[in-house]
Amino acid sequence: MGTKTTWAMIGAGATTATLGILGWLGLRQANERLDRNRELVSETLPVHSKWWRDHAKTEGELLYVALGDSAAQGIGASLPRNSYVGLIADHVRKVTGRTVRVVNLSVSGATVATAAAEQLPRFRTFTPDLVTVSIGANDIADFEPDAFEVGLREVLDALPPDAIVADLPCFYLPHNERKVAVANRILREAAAERELTVVPLHDTMKRQGVKGILTQFANDLFHPNDHGYRVWASAFLPTVTARMLEKFPDAAETPVEEPSAPTS
């Protein structure tokens, strides 16, 4: 082996090692940045929770009650009112021409089991004009189909027949999407037995494609951002509009353009 060949091999090895070190450092920095972003997002949990508690004191001609987890709280949005719950409430005001009181019973980190245990007792004290439910995303990490179904059925059993239930959101990653597919099959079957309406949150998100992956999420890469929550709301709004016009037919005198899912 010649000297030039030897030095070429050494140089190639050093370059590979350098690239490996730089790649490792880049990955480490990216992970550290993501951890900081997650901490910043988590710091908004009590802020959003307090905002919804205070907002629930506002009187309204109509009562909207939401059950759910951190997405219903609007974690990841620039402001709590930019959550899908806030967007739905604004839409109801426009459709009906009435004031709306929003009682957001959601709890960040809620699973179907904790929603049944913690949110349903309060929910049963209300007689709402509109109910939305989006729960189950936090069950996916340690998904147990049987336990999921038990908790879910308990939640669905407590709902009025005109409640609007979302299926689980799109997780995009294949190993999670397989679990989501099972969860959504369970949810749709249980909802059909109770004649509850299920809105297509999963498909609405998935239709956004790769562009949606890049534009729908907050800095923690988990919760929706303002754009993402507009996508979530667009899955609910056609059914919300229909419900409101059924209950308040006089509202049909003032047509409201039905927004579609954002494209960017």
Side-chain angles (χ1 to χ4, degrees):
M1 182 180 296
T3 302
K4 291 183 178 179
T5 303
T6 301
W7 281 110
M9 293 176 64
I10 292 172
T15 300
T16 301
T18 300
L19 290 174
I21 292 170
L22 291 175
W24 178 80
L25 289 173
L27 181 60
R28 180 178 177 180
Q29 290 174 350
N31 285 332
E32 289 175 350
R33 185 165 58 251
L34 181 57
D35 286 342
R36 287 196 299 272
N37 289 340
R38 286 171 175 162
E39 289 176 4
L40 290 173
V41 170
S42 68
E43 289 174 2
T44 68
L45 296 178
V47 176
H48 284 234
S49 181
K50 182 180 184 303
W51 190 90
W52 286 113
R53 289 196 306 272
D54 292 344
H55 196 61
K57 300 172 185 176
T58 303
E59 293 299 323
E61 297 166 273
L62 306 181
L63 175 60
Y64 167 26
V65 178
L67 299 171
D69 49 34
S70 57
Q73 289 277 303
I75 304 304
S78 58
L79 296 168
R81 65 169 175 263
N82 292 334
S83 69
Y84 77 88
V85 171
L87 296 173
I88 289 172
D90 286 341
H91 185 72
V92 171
R93 294 181 183 103
K94 292 176 183 177
V95 168
T96 64
R98 291 168 168 82
T99 58
V100 179
R101 177 191 177 200
V102 182
V103 176
N104 191 341
L105 299 178
S106 64
V107 177
S108 294
T111 62
V112 291
T114 60
E118 299 172 7
Q119 297 178 43
L120 291 186
R122 290 190 60 203
F123 176 73
R124 293 187 178 99
T125 67
F126 295 102
T127 305
D129 299 287
L130 174 66
V131 178
T132 63
V133 182
S134 179
I135 195 70
N138 290 316
D139 291 86
I140 293 302
D142 299 311
F143 187 60
E144 295 290 344
D146 292 341
F148 175 82
E149 183 168 359
V150 169
L152 177 68
R153 286 179 177 274
E154 187 173 353
V155 172
L156 298 186
D157 282 340
L159 301 179
D162 59 353
I164 302 172
V165 182
D167 60 8
L168 270 66
C170 182
F171 276 66
Y172 294 103
L173 298 175
H175 68 283
N176 280 333
E177 280 290 272
R178 287 190 288 271
K179 293 185 283 187
V180 167
V182 175
N184 277 339
R185 176 181 56 77
I186 292 170
L187 184 150
R188 288 186 174 278
E189 289 177 356
E193 292 171 9
R194 294 156 177 78
E195 299 184 344
L196 294 169
T197 299
V198 178
V199 296
L201 175 58
H202 184 274
D203 286 350
T204 302
M205 291 179 65
K206 192 172 183 179
R207 281 196 300 270
Q208 299 289 301
V210 174
K211 193 172 184 179
I213 298 174
L214 299 175
T215 60
Q216 290 184 59
F217 295 97
N219 290 337
D220 64 352
L221 301 183
F222 182 73
H223 292 96
N225 56 19
D226 285 0
H227 171 75
Y229 281 121
R230 291 195 296 273
V231 174
W232 279 53
S234 71
F236 284 90
L237 294 187
T239 303
V240 169
T241 300
R243 288 281 189 274
M244 293 298 96
L245 294 182
E246 288 170 5
K247 290 189 172 187
F248 309 102
D250 59 306
E253 298 174 4
T254 309
V256 176
E257 183 180 351
E258 193 69 64
S260 57
T263 57
S264 62

